[in-house]
Amino acid sequence: MALILEVKAGPSAGRKIPLPEGRALLVGRATDRAQFAVPHDNQMSGVHFAVECGPNGCHLIDKKSTNGTYLNGAKIEEEMLLAHGDEIKSGQTIFLVRIVPDKPLPDAPATSQAIAQPSSAERREMPGISPPQVRPMAPPSSRPALQAPPDQQPAVSSKGLPSRGTEPPPRPGQTPALMIGGWAFHKIPEGWKIQEGIGIQRVVKDAFPASIVAIEEPLGPGLTLQHYVDAHTKMFREYLPDPKINLAVPPVIRGSVETVALEIQYSPKEGPSIFFRRDYARCGTILGVLTLTTLEKDLPSIRPIYDSVLTAISFSHKEQA
């Protein structure tokens, strides 16, 4: 798994930093210590944060910075797992995260200083998706249960299920407003902007912007949608502080043959509570994931907007011969 950091705002806006799998990158103000230096950002520490990419994901690590490192508006304590579309803020600089699975990238900028790698005891590994055995796939009409201990089973939430018929279906041949892989966005809400190759984001000033990010990837041999959701649930429990995870009523997504929905809420030690909604859609052996990220306090106003996007979206994929 590789990564591209794009400077979205700040003194170095427009710069892109590729990070191949198996490499790490130090970011900070000091030109003699950071691999990617932002010397004109006087609110950034000499070495502010590091990003490490490996086969189990890309991790953001705060390097004891003075002003802190923020992921999607929430200050991180030590280390967090990165996802496609995340935003990292350090000092006055904002980075956009683009995850590029299984795609070779050019080497990151060279430096004379070796990157400090955390010890095996300090580095937390993201749980793998490989299951002990293959379970039969749940029919689309049934509600799959996450395979977690009874005291950790997520509750089922009926909130957020779009009302069928609230949005007219797209006309045959109608050009989508945005395409990301097999995802076709037929509705862009007013006050939201398109982020090509990523999704859409709410346009706000001096506030945390809600976003809807779309990705797709192939299911590995012998894996089902349920395995994928099980692994994500385990990952959330390991990496997020005391998360509340609900298995929501899955939506009807045109083109898919199976869907699952999760709703996750967690409260960082500093900053407001964060809410995620993840809708998983399977089409053949291709899996699509649609992720809503917003502040929990903004959810009452954001949920109807997300529902309107969800009822007008489709996910499909042509199997290669």
Side-chain angles (χ1 to χ4, degrees), residues 199-270:
I200 59 176
Q201 185 179 76
R202 193 181 189 189
V203 179
V204 292
K205 186 177 181 180
D206 300 326
F208 180 86
S211 64
I212 301 173
V213 173
I215 64 170
E216 72 169 38
E217 60 184 38
L219 283 170
L223 297 181
T224 67
L225 175 59
Q226 186 63 59
H227 294 143
Y228 196 92
V229 174
D230 288 349
H232 274 209
T233 303
K234 183 179 179 181
M235 176 189 71
F236 291 137
R237 294 194 187 283
E238 181 175 351
Y239 285 92
L240 298 180
D242 192 25
K244 298 176 182 177
I245 304 176
N246 289 325
L247 181 63
V249 178
V252 175
I253 297 178
R254 281 183 292 273
S256 65
V257 297
E258 183 182 17
T259 59
V260 176
L262 290 180
E263 295 190 349
I264 305 101
Q265 179 271 327
Y266 77 97
S267 300
K269 291 184 179 179
E270 296 184 23

Side-chain angles (χ1 to χ4, degrees), residues 9 26 33 36 39 75 84 101 111 118 124 128 133 184 269 309:
L26 288 178
R33 290 185 291 152
F36 183 78
K75 186 178 181 180
H84 187 77
T111 178
R124 295 177 297 169
Q133 60 182 4
K269 291 184 179 179
V309 172

Side-chain angles (χ1 to χ4, degrees), residues 2 60 70 81 117-118 120 152 158 162 180 182 187 205 251 301 310 312 319:
L60 172 66
Y70 292 79
L81 185 70
Q117 301 285 349
S120 58
Q152 295 184 4
S158 60
I180 302 176
K187 176 183 177 63
K205 186 177 181 180
S301 62
L310 202 56
E319 297 285 350

Side-chain angles (χ1 to χ4, degrees), residues 115-196:
I115 297 175
Q117 301 285 349
S119 66
S120 58
E122 296 172 332
R123 181 180 294 138
R124 295 177 297 169
E125 293 296 336
M126 178 179 171
I129 297 180
S130 300
Q133 60 182 4
V134 177
R135 299 191 304 273
M137 190 174 301
S141 60
S142 66
R143 187 175 63 212
L146 298 180
Q147 302 302 309
D151 61 340
Q152 295 184 4
Q153 283 277 358
V156 176
S157 170
S158 60
K159 298 184 295 182
L161 181 66
S163 300
R164 301 185 185 185
T166 58
E167 292 287 338
R171 296 186 300 274
Q174 181 180 357
T175 302
L178 174 65
M179 287 288 298
I180 302 176
W183 288 105
F185 286 72
H186 294 279
K187 176 183 177 63
I188 306 299
E190 184 178 354
W192 289 61
K193 64 180 180 180
I194 291 176
Q195 294 183 305
E196 291 292 345

